[in-house]
Amino acid sequence: MCVHKGKPFLGLHLGKRAVMHQKFGISLPDVHKRKTNKAKPDGIITGPGVSFPVTKCRHGLEKPEEDLGSVPNTNWLQMVIQPKAASLHSREDSLSPQTGRLGVMSTCHRQQKSETEPGFTCKTIDREWTPIPIKAPPPSATSNSMEHRVNGLIPKSPQNLLLRGPVNSNKYDFTILMGLTNPMARDFRHFKQRFSLCWSIVVEALEALEQLLRDFAVPLARVSGQRLVELGHAWESGWLKVPPTTGFLSVLENWEEVLVLLSRPGQRYKGEGGIEAAAVHIQSCWRRYLARTAYLRHCRRRWAAGTIAVSWLMLTQMRHVRKALQARRSRQLDNFRARAKHLAANWKRIQSSKRTIIHIPSLGYSQVQRMNLRGYDILQNIQISRLCDIRDENVDVIYVCPRHLGDDILHYYTRLLKCGGDPDEDGTRSPAASSSSARRFIVLTPEALDYFPTRNLCLSTLLKYSPRTLKRIKHLIQGKQAYIVGGVAHADDLAVADELGVPILASEPAIAQLHSTKSGGRSIFLGAEVDVSPGRGDIYTLNQLHETLAGLMAQNIDVHRWLFKMDSEYGGCGTAYCDTRHLSCYDWALQECHRYGPELWKTEWIQESVQLRYLNKIPEWLARHARPVKTSCYPDWACFLKTFLTQGGVVEAYPPSECVTCLTVDLLLEPGGEVTMLSCGDQLQGSCQLEALGSTVPQTSVNPETLQSISMRVGQACLQRLIVGYVSVDLATFLNRNTMEQKVWAIDLDLAYSDQLAMTQMLLMMTGGTLNCSTGCLEVPMPIQEKCCEHRIAAKPPVVNRYAVVGSHLFHSNLSMLYHNVFFMVCNAHGIGFNNKGKHGTVFAIYDSSERCTIGMITVSEDLRGALMTFARNLSVIHQEISPSKTQGETNFKELIKKIEDVLLLTDQNKMRAVKDKPAE
């Protein structure tokens, strides 16, 4: 035995190496030989019982260079490995992030696969590889034996047959049946033996793959050993924390069939632990449902609590606001009453002293009415001739205008007011008087008009929300006696008056709105004991309408037309009519009336049969033949009836005569309790005989004494109901066909400043005259013609009578084509103008600068016939000048001309009749 260091072991190793080589054919390496720099073509790796020829790879894996076909006998297993250069790859090539499969393999792997697998080729382009299928060779004996084993382990069923695919010839593939790997299978032993050095890495991925297949009850899975090893290394190196399902599928050869099986609903619960997984899933879904239901219930309750809280806060806030508004309006009403008492106590003193009148021509209609009115702002500005109140030297006028007036209109009215008024003896006005007239009026427009251009707000509301205009009015009336003259009453009138601290020459808005309806006016006429047309008010139901109409028609058999007026009717918009001649049983009713006679017909039991028959025929009669006066507001009877029953109204008889004249009387109910007649005129009506387009001043159809008596009684009845201010009464006069006596019916009452009164103020301003309604004369002083001083001092200016025709609603759509200066030039060219010395001619009232479709006109002449002829001639000339033959435009000029011609014809007939009757007397 050798005692040298290392010698005994050297001899022992040499002997054992020879014995192992002789008996087992295994050549052990000589580790004591010094390595040389020469590259050896072969590399031998020794193991416990076998030696494998290997090639170094990127991951330190040993991969075979050629397929051995089957595991050889350990006594003869020896392989020679040819060394090849290995290419380096970035880590991102090991696993594709999009598919979860191992992406680009190392160069040695691709080369090995292309050399060893006959059914597969690899094409490399820019570090990416694309598998290209090649015709596979016929199955070998090994594949046949594997298929026989699979068929023996898996029951033959349609599901299993679907998972079967073509047998892969990869030499490291193996099969997993029902999620378990057969450790005794030849292909698995071959795989395990080949990768035994890294088996600890592979076994983790394999166990995870088996668990996945067992969980989903996959009967057959063919695994690519090489990809499984790569997946294991990627997992072990930390590139993947937990491989996704697609990562496991990437190592399967039949991954499409397995993916279909994994995607099948409910497949998880057929595998290992499926019942527990199903129970867990059911429990989790139920808990989720309970939690979701509880959360939604909580959200609904929270929303409900928030909604209730917000609603309560809003209700509380609204209550506070409502109480504050009620308190403010109550305070405004108390202040209004206190100022009204002061105005009534000092009215005579105020009328005889310097004072300022604030004219607010507001039309305080309801919102529905205001929105349906065409040209609502122009309608409010039609009374711009209120400026003519400055003809009284003690009056200053502040006119609140609902439109922005142009410089042309302001210049026109400035010149008009300078020329008008009381002239000197020579018929002219002094420059001092003209300059004083220009300084005593001012026109203001509320700034809120620009904020609400399309809301059709009444003028009082606009002024209420215009602090700058209110502040300016306060400055103008500071230290002066002032009061407000409004229009149609509105609640905001009180707010404006309270803000300015001045009284209103009108009744309370609530009282005015109560008695300004058709039913309210009818009750005032009945209280005044004046004649009214047969009818009844306060109708709100259809049955009440039919029964009332049947009774009235039976009592007044001679009435040929019945009128239906809404309580809030204005300008004929809320009026409809129906003629009895269309009623089928009307002739029979006339025969019954003649059979019983006038005296017996007044008894109710005789009228009962006619009334019952009327009641059956009236619904159909109204549906077919009732017509609204203005179809632009209500196109048919059904639409009119719906609004009529909603607002309430009256049924009245139209005067039973072919010749009916309507007239308007304007009264001033002074706060002191006196009634004064300010204007009276016969109406010029349109084609429907229910809409006034103009009037003749003064009226000539009724005895002035009779007219004054009626007016005084109506005025006193209004004063008894606490109505003060300006009131307009409409009357109808006609001849009774049976007795040939003149009858006068009171038909309408308006508690507002009328358009006729505004035009009358302009008439009196231009003529300098006085309208004496008690005598029915327009007295105009004429200038003195003598030049001698002593005669001028002693003589008084002579007074002559004049007649005028006024029209405030003259509409022609073609007027918009002419500016006002051009329009006046055309009129001057045709001799249309006013003679200030002779106190006759034509005066115009213009309302706006933008649309220019509506104007007013006054003609003054020595007699009524001359005034009517001048008015008709002016309308005809203007129509011809502005209307081409093909574009006549929309106008009411023709209707008014036709009405004037009828009046002239009737006047001539009356004169001829008077001439014939005079000799007989």
Side-chain angles (χ1 to χ4, degrees):
M1 186 174 186
C2 182
V3 296
H4 295 283
K5 184 177 180 180
K7 293 299 181 180
F9 296 97
L10 181 58
L12 179 59
H13 289 168
L14 292 175
K16 289 185 177 181
R17 206 168 38 245
V19 172
M20 292 292 291
H21 180 71
Q22 293 177 2
K23 290 184 176 183
F24 300 99
I26 297 176
S27 299
L28 298 176
D30 190 1
V31 298
H32 298 284
K33 289 186 178 181
R34 182 174 297 178
K35 295 182 180 180
T36 61
N37 295 331
K38 294 181 179 180
K40 295 184 179 180
D42 299 341
I44 306 297
I45 298 178
T46 60
V50 295
S51 64
F52 298 95
V54 296
T55 302
K56 298 295 181 180
C57 292
R58 172 183 164 213
H59 300 301
L61 303 179
E62 298 91 1
K63 295 202 173 182
E65 280 294 319
E66 58 183 5
D67 191 3
L68 298 178
S70 62
V71 179
N73 190 348
T74 56
N75 296 327
W76 305 98
L77 180 60
Q78 184 174 3
M79 300 180 64
V80 179
I81 299 176
Q82 299 294 334
K84 295 182 179 180
S87 60
L88 299 178
H89 300 275
S90 60
R91 296 179 62 172
E92 62 183 357
D93 297 334
S94 300
L95 187 66
S96 173
Q98 298 178 355
T99 61
R101 301 183 57 180
L102 294 178
V104 183
M105 298 187 300
S106 61
T107 306
C108 60
H109 290 185
R110 293 197 299 270
Q111 182 178 0
Q112 180 184 9
K113 197 162 189 176
S114 62
E115 293 176 357
T116 57
E117 294 185 9
F120 189 92
T121 87
C122 185
K123 193 184 223 180
T124 305
I125 302 175
D126 294 341
R127 298 180 60 193
E128 295 185 0
W129 63 281
T130 305
I132 302 177
I134 302 177
K135 186 176 180 181
S140 60
T142 304
S143 62
N144 290 336
S145 64
M146 182 181 298
E147 183 179 0
H148 176 71
R149 291 168 60 188
V150 169
N151 293 337
L153 292 174
I154 302 175
K156 292 184 178 181
S157 64
Q159 180 179 354
N160 297 334
L161 293 176
L162 286 175
L163 290 174
R164 284 182 161 186
V167 179
N168 198 301
S169 59
N170 196 329
K171 57 186 177 181
Y172 294 121
D173 290 356
F174 60 92
T175 305
I176 299 177
L177 300 175
M178 301 305 295
L180 295 175
T181 303
N182 186 4
M184 303 305 296
R186 182 178 179 185
D187 50 1
F188 181 74
R189 286 189 300 153
H190 184 193
F191 167 71
K192 183 177 181 180
Q193 184 178 14
R194 179 64 188 86
F195 298 101
S196 60
L197 296 181
C198 57
W199 184 253
S200 62
I201 299 175
V202 176
V203 71
E204 294 181 5
L206 180 60
E207 291 176 355
L209 178 60
E210 288 178 345
Q211 185 63 41
L212 176 65
L213 298 177
R214 287 196 302 271
D215 290 344
F216 287 89
V218 179
L220 173 63
R222 292 187 296 274
V223 183
S224 173
Q226 295 179 3
R227 293 201 292 270
L228 181 62
V229 172
E230 293 180 358
L231 179 63
H233 275 277
W235 191 359
E236 186 271 338
S237 62
W239 294 354
L240 291 176
K241 294 182 179 180
V242 178
T245 303
T246 53
F248 286 116
L249 292 178
S250 65
V251 304
L252 301 179
E253 295 294 338
N254 61 336
W255 64 272
E256 291 125 341
E257 293 85 351
V258 175
L259 179 60
V260 171
L261 194 61
L262 264 62
S263 302
R264 186 178 301 171
Q267 184 65 27
R268 170 65 186 90
Y269 311 119
K270 297 180 182 179
E272 182 178 345
I275 297 177
E276 291 80 2
V280 171
H281 184 69
I282 292 173
Q283 291 177 3
S284 63
C285 290
W286 176 249
R287 287 194 298 269
R288 180 181 61 183
Y289 169 75
L290 292 179
R292 179 66 176 172
T293 304
Y295 173 73
L296 293 178
R297 187 184 304 112
H298 170 72
C299 290
R300 286 194 299 270
R301 291 177 178 176
R302 184 176 179 181
W303 170 82
T307 303
I308 293 173
V310 172
S311 300
W312 175 254
L313 291 176
M314 292 295 294
L315 178 61
T316 306
Q317 187 68 19
M318 287 294 292
R319 286 179 179 175
H320 292 165
V321 173
R322 189 178 294 110
K323 289 181 180 179
L325 289 176
Q326 290 177 354
R328 178 182 298 178
R329 290 173 180 172
S330 178
R331 184 177 64 255
Q332 292 172 357
L333 184 58
D334 294 339
N335 295 336
F336 168 82
R337 291 171 178 173
R339 296 189 187 100
K341 291 181 180 179
H342 180 270
L343 182 65
N346 300 276
W347 176 251
K348 291 185 177 180
R349 181 181 61 82
I350 293 175
Q351 287 295 100
S352 59
S353 60
K354 292 283 292 185
R355 62 193 180 276
T356 301
I357 302 178
I358 306 171
H359 282 287
I360 307 176
S362 175
L363 298 180
Y365 299 136
S366 64
Q367 182 179 0
V368 177
Q369 294 172 334
R370 286 186 279 108
M371 295 305 294
N372 292 331
L373 277 177
R374 176 184 176 183
Y376 177 69
D377 51 350
I378 298 178
L379 290 177
Q380 292 187 114
N381 201 38
I382 281 179
Q383 297 184 6
I384 191 174
S385 51
R386 292 191 190 190
L387 292 171
C388 297
D389 280 350
I390 64 171
R391 64 191 180 90
D392 187 349
E393 297 292 338
N394 293 326
V395 174
D396 293 343
V397 173
I398 299 176
Y399 179 78
V400 182
C401 183
R403 290 182 63 90
H404 292 290
L405 299 181
D407 294 337
D408 53 346
I409 296 182
L410 295 177
H411 181 65
Y412 172 77
Y413 280 105
T414 302
R415 291 183 57 190
L416 185 71
L417 296 176
K418 285 182 179 180
C419 296
D422 296 333
D424 297 335
E425 287 80 358
D426 57 354
T428 61
R429 298 193 69 192
S430 62
S434 300
S435 177
S436 175
S437 299
R439 291 194 304 266
R440 286 190 293 111
F441 79 94
I442 185 171
V443 179
L444 300 177
T445 302
E447 67 268 15
L449 180 65
D450 299 328
Y451 306 150
F452 311 103
T454 60
R455 294 291 182 177
N456 276 10
L457 296 178
C458 69
L459 188 57
S460 297
T461 304
L462 292 175
L463 185 58
K464 175 184 175 182
Y465 297 111
S466 302
R468 291 200 299 268
T469 306
L470 290 174
K471 185 177 180 180
R472 188 175 181 188
I473 295 176
K474 284 183 182 180
H475 177 71
L476 292 173
I477 65 175
Q478 187 175 7
K480 300 179 181 179
Q481 291 286 348
Y483 59 89
I484 295 176
V485 176
V488 179
H490 192 270
D492 289 336
D493 294 344
L494 301 182
V496 173
D498 192 64
E499 183 69 23
L500 297 177
V502 295
I504 304 178
L505 185 58
S507 55
E508 298 179 12
I511 296 177
Q513 292 173 4
L514 175 64
H515 296 289
S516 62
T517 62
K518 302 304 176 183
S519 301
R522 187 175 181 84
S523 65
I524 292 178
F525 293 148
L526 294 176
E529 297 180 355
V530 297
D531 294 337
V532 296
S533 61
R536 189 170 301 173
D538 296 322
I539 297 175
Y540 292 94
T541 63
L542 187 61
N543 293 333
Q544 184 183 6
L545 174 64
H546 293 165
E547 293 174 0
T548 301
L549 185 58
L552 291 173
M553 291 175 64
Q555 296 172 7
N556 304 274
I557 198 71
D558 57 338
V559 175
H560 300 289
R561 174 175 288 185
W562 290 91
L563 305 178
F564 309 91
K565 298 180 180 180
M566 298 180 185
D567 277 340
S568 59
E569 186 268 343
Y570 54 92
C573 292
T575 304
Y577 64 93
C578 193
D579 296 332
T580 56
R581 59 187 176 86
H582 299 294
L583 191 61
S584 59
C585 60
Y586 181 68
D587 295 336
W588 170 81
L590 286 177
Q591 294 176 3
E592 291 292 314
C593 180
H594 293 320
R595 184 165 65 91
Y596 286 102
E599 297 298 330
L600 291 177
W601 186 253
K602 296 179 181 179
T603 59
E604 295 182 0
W605 65 270
I606 294 178
Q607 299 176 3
E608 185 176 358
S609 59
V610 177
Q611 186 175 350
L612 292 176
R613 193 161 183 179
Y614 275 163
L615 192 60
N616 294 330
K617 297 293 184 179
I618 280 176
E620 182 181 0
W621 173 59
L622 292 177
R624 288 187 176 183
H625 302 289
R627 296 289 183 271
V629 173
K630 288 189 176 181
T631 56
S632 59
C633 300
Y634 301 98
D636 52 17
W637 167 253
C639 183
F640 176 88
L641 181 62
K642 182 179 179 181
T643 309
F644 179 86
L645 297 178
T646 302
Q647 300 180 0
V650 299
V651 177
E652 291 181 351
Y654 187 79
S657 176
E658 296 179 358
C659 182
V660 179
T661 302
C662 295
L663 60 152
T664 301
V665 180
D666 293 299
L667 306 176
L668 173 59
L669 308 181
E670 298 180 0
E674 297 182 2
V675 180
T676 304
M677 294 180 62
L678 300 178
S679 175
C680 57
D682 296 329
Q683 294 181 3
L684 297 177
Q685 297 178 334
S687 58
C688 65
Q689 302 294 323
L690 296 174
E691 180 185 5
L693 300 179
S695 60
T696 61
V697 179
Q699 65 84 25
T700 57
S701 57
V702 179
N703 189 337
E705 296 180 358
T706 303
L707 183 63
Q708 186 175 11
S709 175
I710 294 174
S711 301
M712 292 299 110
R713 281 182 286 172
V714 172
Q716 292 299 329
C718 291
L719 288 174
Q720 292 176 3
R721 291 165 175 79
L722 303 179
I723 298 175
V724 295
Y726 294 92
V727 175
S728 177
V729 182
D730 290 344
L731 306 173
T733 180
F734 60 96
L735 293 177
N736 191 341
R737 290 179 295 181
N738 298 327
T739 62
M740 297 304 294
E741 294 180 356
Q742 185 181 22
K743 302 201 67 171
V744 180
W745 286 354
I747 58 177
D748 197 6
L749 178 67
D750 293 326
L751 306 183
Y753 199 104
S754 69
D755 298 338
Q756 175 182 282
L757 180 57
M759 297 297 290
T760 302
Q761 297 296 331
M762 177 178 283
L763 170 65
L764 299 179
M765 178 74 181
M766 295 304 300
T767 59
T770 303
L771 181 61
N772 192 345
C773 296
S774 60
T775 59
C777 297
L778 175 59
E779 300 173 352
V780 178
M782 296 297 292
I784 299 176
Q785 301 296 330
E786 290 83 357
K787 301 299 183 180
C788 184
C789 296
E790 57 271 11
H791 292 287
R792 290 178 59 184
I793 296 174
K796 292 183 179 180
V799 177
V800 296
N801 292 334
R802 290 286 186 262
Y803 292 87
V805 179
V806 300
S808 58
H809 295 268
L810 305 180
F811 177 82
H812 203 302
S813 58
N814 291 345
L815 281 172
S816 60
M817 297 186 300
L818 299 180
Y819 288 100
H820 290 137
N821 56 349
V822 179
F823 172 76
F824 290 132
M825 291 174 61
V826 172
C827 293
N828 290 331
H830 290 274
I832 301 176
F834 188 78
N835 187 342
N836 199 22
K837 292 185 178 181
K839 303 299 179 182
H840 61 83
T842 304
V843 180
F844 292 97
I846 52 180
Y847 306 132
D848 70 300
S849 303
S850 56
E851 297 183 10
R852 301 186 302 277
C853 294
T854 305
I855 60 173
M857 184 171 65
I858 301 175
T859 58
V860 184
S861 181
E862 297 178 355
D863 56 3
L864 180 59
R865 181 181 181 83
L868 289 171
M869 293 182 64
T870 303
F871 198 91
R873 174 184 173 273
N874 293 344
L875 292 179
S876 178
V877 169
I878 294 172
H879 176 70
Q880 293 177 3
E881 288 292 331
I882 65 177
S883 299
S885 58
K886 296 182 180 180
T887 309
Q888 293 296 311
E890 182 182 356
T891 181
N892 58 6
F893 284 12
K894 296 180 180 180
E895 297 180 8
L896 199 51
I897 293 174
K898 179 67 170 56
K899 179 62 179 179
I900 291 175
E901 292 176 352
D902 295 340
V903 172
L904 292 175
L905 180 61
L906 181 62
T907 302
D908 294 340
Q909 292 177 356
N910 292 336
K911 286 184 177 181
M912 294 176 62
R913 187 179 303 169
V915 171
K916 292 180 180 180
D917 294 342
K918 189 173 182 180
E921 296 177 356

